[in-house]
Amino acid sequence: MRTWRAVVIGRSPHPGQGFTQGLLEQDGTVWESTGLYGSSTLRRYRLGDGQPERTAALPAGLFGEGICRTGDVIWQLTWQERVALRWDAESFELAGQVRYNRAGWGICAIGDAVLTSDGSSELVRRDPQTLAPEAVIHVRMDGHRVLGLNDLAWSAGTVWANVAGTHYLAGIDPVSGEVTDIVHARPAAERYADPQAIMNGIAALPGPGEFLLTGKGWRWIRRVRLKPAREGAARRGLLAGLSH
């Protein structure tokens, strides 16, 4: 198992400082899903801009969650409503919606499928067109369940997950469910007294081992690069923080 630390190599304004639930980046354009009933949105902006270029509001009864892109479609999950919204990535028009099982937390596209999380230690492989479930992946580390899997990103054959309420990211083998990588991302965090202002929002970048990280209400989006972490006590601390 590999252990890493997230080194901040840049930062950009976080437009709107929303209650971030999902983050996606492509060629300098960022899509972001924000939550809370009555103020959930889907936003799009150029990285570095201070304001979104497009914003779509969700109905007051929907709580926005994770997002991913499959072709010209942005899928946006909702928390407890078990409804996924299908948005046109360019026009921001709502093209439809589908029902799915389980609560909605994170989602990422992995080629011929999408994976979703629901805050448990399980990921669900789904059809990218209908979100119908195809398989359940049990995420383990040293035989222990890894709970709190939240926002997801896909990079170089590995699924990366925010672990809810912590400063850790887990790198997961999408076939076996084994945790292959652990990242201590505390340097990317912001200092808040508000316990709701946790890290949530991970987007993979083209550079090897590079990601965008942000959180609920954060002023900044951090660009980070993974660097090997020391073994010994640091490794044991990361393992203890992730293992439940």
Side-chain angles (χ1 to χ4, degrees), residues 4-213:
W4 309 89
R5 56 191 175 92
V7 177
V8 178
I9 59 174
R11 67 179 190 176
S12 301
H14 185 187
Q17 299 177 38
F19 199 75
T20 306
Q21 300 296 96
L23 203 67
L24 176 68
E25 189 275 348
Q26 189 174 54
D27 299 326
T29 295
V30 177
W31 288 263
E32 180 180 357
S33 173
T34 70
L36 298 178
Y37 291 111
S39 56
S40 291
T41 67
L42 178 68
R43 305 172 179 181
R44 187 177 70 210
Y45 48 86
R46 294 293 296 175
L47 190 62
D49 287 353
Q51 295 294 329
E53 63 180 24
R54 298 293 297 270
T55 299
L58 275 62
L62 298 180
F63 190 117
E65 284 283 349
I67 53 173
C68 78
R69 181 168 183 169
T70 59
D72 295 329
V73 171
I74 299 289
W75 282 113
Q76 184 178 28
L77 301 182
T78 59
W79 180 30
Q80 296 180 325
E81 297 72 45
R82 303 190 179 194
V83 171
L85 304 180
R86 187 200 309 262
W87 299 92
D88 183 284
E90 298 304 321
S91 70
F92 257 48
E93 294 293 327
L94 184 60
Q97 62 185 46
V98 301
R99 303 285 302 180
Y100 61 91
N101 62 337
R102 302 195 177 210
W105 284 45
I107 184 170
C108 69
I110 63 169
D112 61 345
V114 298
L115 294 181
T116 61
S117 65
D118 62 4
S120 70
S121 62
E122 297 177 345
L123 300 176
V124 179
R125 181 185 176 96
R126 298 180 181 275
D127 182 283
Q129 303 301 318
T130 66
L131 299 192
E134 298 177 339
V136 176
I137 301 164
H138 300 276
V139 178
R140 298 288 188 271
M141 183 180 64
D142 293 347
H144 299 282
R145 293 184 300 159
V146 179
L147 301 172
L149 300 177
N150 201 350
D151 195 26
L152 304 176
W154 172 251
S155 178
T158 298
V159 179
W160 297 88
N162 279 135
V163 179
T166 78
H167 297 297
Y168 296 106
L169 310 174
I172 303 162
D173 184 300
V175 177
S176 69
E178 286 296 314
V179 173
T180 57
D181 300 84
I182 301 171
V183 181
H184 185 207
R186 184 180 293 275
E190 293 192 13
R191 297 181 181 274
Y192 280 104
D194 182 356
Q196 292 266 38
I198 62 173
M199 182 173 71
N200 195 31
I202 175 174
L205 295 173
E210 292 191 5
F211 299 89
L212 298 179
L213 298 178

